Amino acid sequence: MNITKEQIDELNAVVKVAITKDDYQDKVDKILKDYRKQANIPGFRKGQVPIGLIKKQYGRAVLVDEVNKLLQDNLNKYLTEEKLDVLGNPLPKQQDNFDWDKEDFAFEFELGLAPSFEVPLKTKKSITRYKILADKKMVTEQVERMRKQYGKLVTKAAVEKKDEINGIFLNEDEEIENKATVELEKVKSKKALAALIGKKVGEKVSLNTKGLFKEDYLLSSVLGISQEKAKDLKIDVSFTIEEINEREPAQLDQDFFDKLFGKDTVTSEDEMKARIKEDSEKQFEQQSDQKLLNDITEYFIENTKFDLPSEFLTKWIQMTGEKPLSPEEATEEFEKSEKGLRYQLIEGKIIKDNNLDIQFDELKEFAKGFIKSQMAQFGQLDPQEEELDNIAARVLGNQDEVKRLSEQLMSQKLLNLYKDKVNFKVKEVTYENFVKEVYG
């Protein structure tokens, strides 16, 4: 067998594979002999079928199969040994006069080659790195939410502005009958509020669903219907009051602090606010980091210039898709995927140049850290190392989980590299302003 490469240009090449009879004949003969031992053909005893008949019946199929195996194995080996960085897969060139009756065969494959380029990490333009702050307003609101969450319910005789009402929503025509709790502070409709204020247990009020709550998602929740059905719903529902409660906020005392943060960890309101601010800003770092990673990705895509073997890739998309595509459809698919392909190449180059490959031991430690954080959410703050090892082993036995965790770990590695190398300008913003600026 002889394999040669003809370089068309920097991004395209043709590989020629010459296969002779000596390359495949021994294997073909062995397979046909094995077929002969097992063949059941009327008129012949098992194992006594003439080899000529076996060749006539099975020879062509065995030949084609073995030649294709030789092609695939040796072409892949050649690409690896020659260190050819190809895009997509080699595409066989059409041969109109190909003849399987010959003893020697010649095949040609088109290659699309990855471009050569550099990715300077020291960016010319400074990229904004957001530092999201928990301002005084946010901290105060969080304190009030916590006090309310850990407060106690006090039964009321009649409904007042800040009460919680338990009751049953009913509309027979829409098949709605659902028991729910309504917090008056979340009711938007002034007409509904006026109808509810002063009512007592057992009384029934009629409420219109349009604009009933400040947050649209609440309507589907209290009526027990889907979000889709609740959207733009404009009907009257009856609401029968079963219970009226006022939620009395928890006192800012040591018992409250201990419930939130552990015994004697926080001992005053000022310490509590400082802890809330610190914890909130740690959580905001994840959003800030994701924004940073997205912005750097966009920067590299826009500023790393290189050509792609577009014609080859379009043809590859056309020939290897789940269903046949027209040239126009293949061109459209290539244009859709080009940006993603460019970043795959850029990311691959960064990973290679900076030795960011993931080793199994560090993936295992990353998995254990993820597991530990999940356990902490359920109150298991100090799991045993052996337990973490066992859970990690089970998780890493699932290839989908391995892929997911590997992607997360690589994103973290890239982010750490960017933080060290890329030019930044730090911008301090409140969370509210961050959301406005980033998400509009």
Side-chain angles (χ1 to χ4, degrees), residues 223-400:
L223 297 184
I225 60 176
S226 68
Q227 290 279 1
E228 184 178 358
K229 184 175 180 179
K231 186 180 179 183
D232 300 323
L233 185 67
K234 187 179 180 181
I235 61 172
D236 289 327
V237 293
S238 68
F239 180 58
T240 303
I241 299 172
E242 293 187 332
E243 189 177 346
I244 305 167
N245 295 302
E246 178 185 6
R247 190 171 289 273
E248 190 175 280
Q251 296 296 314
L252 290 170
D253 56 21
Q254 194 58 48
D255 181 56
F256 178 54
F257 300 146
D258 290 347
K259 286 178 183 176
L260 289 173
F261 305 106
K263 188 167 177 58
D264 297 331
T265 303
V266 168
T267 60
S268 69
E269 182 179 352
D270 287 342
E271 287 183 17
M272 176 186 176
K273 289 181 176 180
R275 176 67 178 269
I276 290 172
K277 179 178 173 63
E278 179 185 350
D279 291 348
S280 298
E281 290 177 354
K282 279 183 180 177
Q283 292 179 359
F284 295 154
E285 283 180 14
Q286 294 180 1
Q287 289 175 270
S288 175
D289 284 348
Q290 188 59 56
K291 170 63 176 170
L292 179 63
L293 195 58
N294 292 345
D295 288 347
I296 293 173
T297 297
E298 287 297 324
Y299 175 88
F300 284 144
I301 291 173
E302 293 298 321
N303 293 276
T304 307
K305 304 299 182 183
F306 53 81
D307 293 325
L308 291 170
S310 305
E311 186 176 337
F312 168 84
L313 290 171
T314 302
K315 187 188 296 185
W316 178 72
I317 289 171
Q318 183 181 4
M319 294 178 65
T320 60
E322 292 183 2
K323 62 178 182 178
L325 298 178
S326 68
E328 294 76 18
E329 289 172 329
T331 299
E332 185 179 347
E333 283 300 310
F334 170 70
E335 290 171 352
K336 287 179 183 177
S337 61
E338 182 179 3
K339 186 175 181 179
L341 174 58
R342 286 183 176 277
Y343 186 67
Q344 284 180 23
L345 292 170
I346 292 168
E347 186 181 79
K349 176 71 172 172
I350 294 170
I351 290 169
K352 181 179 178 182
D353 288 351
N354 295 277
N355 300 313
L356 298 183
D357 292 328
I358 294 174
Q359 304 301 319
F360 179 77
D361 286 347
E362 60 182 342
L363 181 61
K364 181 180 176 182
E365 288 304 310
F366 182 76
K368 285 165 67 175
F370 178 78
I371 293 163
K372 197 171 181 178
S373 66
Q374 292 290 102
M375 294 174 75
Q377 293 180 20
F378 295 95
Q380 295 176 266
L381 302 177
D382 191 25
Q384 296 296 312
E385 194 68 19
E386 183 179 356
E387 183 181 12
L388 288 173
D389 283 333
N390 290 336
I391 297 174
R394 291 198 298 272
V395 169
L396 297 176
N398 183 318
Q399 289 305 307
D400 290 337

Side-chain angles (χ1 to χ4, degrees), residues 1-5 15-25 27 63-79 81 103-107 109:
M1 179 179 294
N2 186 39
I3 303 180
T4 57
K5 177 171 71 75
V15 168
K16 300 179 180 181
V17 183
I19 295 179
T20 67
K21 185 177 180 179
D22 290 341
D23 295 319
Y24 62 80
Q25 193 62 55
K27 188 66 185 254
L63 171 65
V64 172
D65 190 45
E66 286 308 307
V67 168
N68 281 329
K69 287 179 182 177
L70 274 172
L71 273 175
Q72 183 157 340
D73 292 346
N74 286 279
L75 185 56
N76 289 338
K77 183 180 177 183
Y78 174 81
L79 296 178
E81 289 177 347
E103 293 185 342
D104 297 339
F105 308 106
F107 301 90
F109 294 87

